[in-house]
Amino acid sequence: MMVNWDNIELPESFLAEQNIPLSELTSFRVGGKARFVIRPHSYETIREIVSFAESNGIRCMLLGKGTNVLASDRGFDGIIIRFDAPLHEPVFRGTRVIACCGTSMTVLARETIRRGLMGMERLCGIPGTVGGACAMNAGAYGAEIKKILTRIRILRNGTDEWVNVKDGDLGYRRSIFSYPEAIALEAEFCLAQDDGTAYEIMHDCMERRRQKQPLELPSAGSTFKRPEGHFAGALIEQSGLKGCTIGGAQVSEKHAGFIVNIGGATEADISALIAYVQNVVKERTGVDLEPEIKRI
Ligand SMILES: Cc1cc2nc3c(=O)[nH]c(=O)nc-3n(C[C@H](O)[C@H](O)[C@H](O)COP(=O)(O)OP(=O)(O)OC[C@H]3O[C@@H](n4cnc5c(N)ncnc54)[C@H](O)[C@@H]3O)c2cc1C
């Protein structure tokens, strides 16, 4: 449905910014302009924005730090809710912590270690928010959000509620607490007392990231999900695609599982490279690669 923007005025309290390039909001550094971007200053504002968008037929999209998304060159003709900053400090009770979903995952993981807890040390270095991590069931080096997430406060169908996390709510890079099905507002994690190894494990994982991942170039992390019984990066490398380039998009020379923006890439370049990699890998290894990244 086309929206007649002339008849629509956003409430001043939203503090909306206009015509913001999505390339500034996403780690791939590509994408056209978003008509409106709003950084919520309260949980209530998020509810109000969603309700305002629904009643005016406006498209809405939720972003955390934009580290797992590919934004369209055509931009987004609607409202982006950019929930990438904490609305309050984490609250610690024994081995439990409740964090705002706008909090940086890495900042939270470091804070839990500082307070003598363990369970998040391997998740340190994932560059998104707590909300993005819950939405993607982010994981690394054998750890994943679903192993520590116990309760989550979500906005779903206009209702703001705390729910207990059940088996099956999250799976490999999928979660029912993901936009548009739900907006994750706060999350409760159950951790353990540090047995004295948390800092060292965190340090080791961060070092492995620095050595293996192309952190110096814009990307959205691993482009593809891990196919059962394989590693996407190994299949891509085996198919001779390391360094393969279309426009400004390249299969990383450092880690074939990452597509990177080597300068001036467009969404079209990245999409074309994703499709090319999928075709060649299928042809040479028989395995289907499914993108992990979300699209705007
Ligand atoms: C260099 C690099 C390394 C990475 N390493 C890892 C890794 O080791 N492991 C891993 O799992 N991922 C990794 N990623 C991918 C990414 O960082 C994670 O998926 C992260 O959890 C996404 O968080 P975000 O805040 O950036 O979410 P976004 O990219 O902003 O959003 C991702 C999806 O989640 C939804 N979403 C975001 N916030 C919420 C919310 N509050 N409620 C509901 N839905 C929401 C969005 O609508 C979108 O569909 C990496 C990315 C980069 C660039």
Side-chain angles (χ1 to χ4, degrees):
M1 189 179 71
M2 288 290 284
V3 176
N4 184 353
W5 290 102
D6 295 339
N7 299 335
I8 291 174
E9 201 172 321
L10 266 65
E12 257 179 49
S13 60
F14 287 177
L15 304 175
E17 292 180 274
Q18 274 200 63
N19 297 322
I20 304 296
L22 289 165
S23 55
E24 289 176 9
L25 309 184
T26 57
S27 57
F28 246 141
R29 299 274 171 256
V30 303
K33 287 183 176 169
R35 185 178 285 266
F36 290 109
V37 174
I38 304 174
R39 281 183 111 174
H41 46 83
S42 68
Y43 295 120
E44 182 55 17
T45 329
I46 299 180
R47 203 188 56 72
E48 285 171 6
I49 300 165
V50 172
S51 149
F52 178 86
E54 269 170 18
S55 48
N56 287 283
I58 298 173
R59 289 200 304 153
C60 208
M61 171 71 190
L62 190 98
L63 268 190
K65 286 191 186 287
T67 62
N68 207 42
V69 292
L70 175 56
S72 164
D73 293 331
R74 283 172 294 144
F76 185 76
D77 196 26
I79 298 174
I80 302 269
I81 303 174
R82 187 184 185 194
F83 189 20
D84 69 342
L87 298 173
H88 54 78
E89 294 294 312
V91 177
F92 286 85
R93 274 196 206 104
T95 54
R96 287 179 191 255
V97 56
I98 293 181
C100 168
C101 283
T103 310
S104 147
M105 194 61 231
T106 293
V107 168
L108 180 65
R110 281 188 186 277
E111 182 61 15
T112 60
I113 295 169
R114 204 181 65 77
R115 287 178 179 252
L117 297 173
M118 74 188 299
M120 284 193 177
E121 56 284 354
R122 292 179 168 83
L123 303 176
C124 201
I126 297 180
T129 58
V130 168
C134 293
M136 295 302 301
N137 184 27
Y141 307 110
E144 60 182 338
I145 286 290
K146 85 173 206 185
K147 294 182 183 163
I148 50 173
L149 181 66
T150 44
R151 289 194 309 142
I152 188 160
R153 179 178 167 194
I154 50 168
L155 185 62
R156 186 166 51 183
N157 304 325
T159 308
D160 175 343
E161 58 181 348
W162 275 98
V163 295
N164 292 322
V165 176
K166 300 189 300 295
D167 262 3
D169 286 349
L170 298 99
Y172 176 63
R173 300 297 174 267
R174 90 171 161 78
S175 154
I176 64 164
F177 310 115
S178 182
Y179 191 81
E181 281 69 33
I183 296 181
L185 303 176
E186 290 183 271
E188 181 194 70
F189 300 98
C190 183
L191 306 174
Q193 293 294 348
D194 185 0
D195 63 6
T197 58
Y199 182 80
E200 208 176 301
I201 295 173
M202 177 199 72
H203 189 264
D204 181 51
C205 291
M206 299 284 276
E207 196 45 43
R208 280 158 78 180
R209 277 180 193 277
R210 272 190 287 272
Q211 280 177 15
K212 301 237 161 79
Q213 299 182 358
L215 301 181
E216 60 292 349
L217 289 169
S219 79
S222 300
T223 315
F224 301 99
K225 291 185 181 174
R226 197 178 53 234
E228 190 115 14
H230 300 275
F231 288 102
L235 292 172
I236 296 168
E237 192 169 346
Q238 202 182 307
S239 303
L241 292 167
K242 221 175 189 183
C244 176
T245 305
I246 295 182
Q250 183 178 70
V251 174
S252 166
E253 304 265 12
K254 195 168 174 185
H255 187 317
F258 283 55
I259 286 181
V260 289
N261 177 353
I262 52 170
T266 60
E267 176 251 328
D269 294 340
I270 295 170
S271 295
L273 188 55
I274 288 174
Y276 182 71
V277 168
Q278 284 175 308
N279 285 337
V280 175
V281 168
K282 174 74 178 171
E283 200 180 277
R284 300 199 181 151
T285 70
V287 180
D288 286 306
L289 289 181
E290 187 194 335
E292 175 178 320
I293 49 181
K294 305 277 182 188
R295 288 177 178 267
I296 306 179

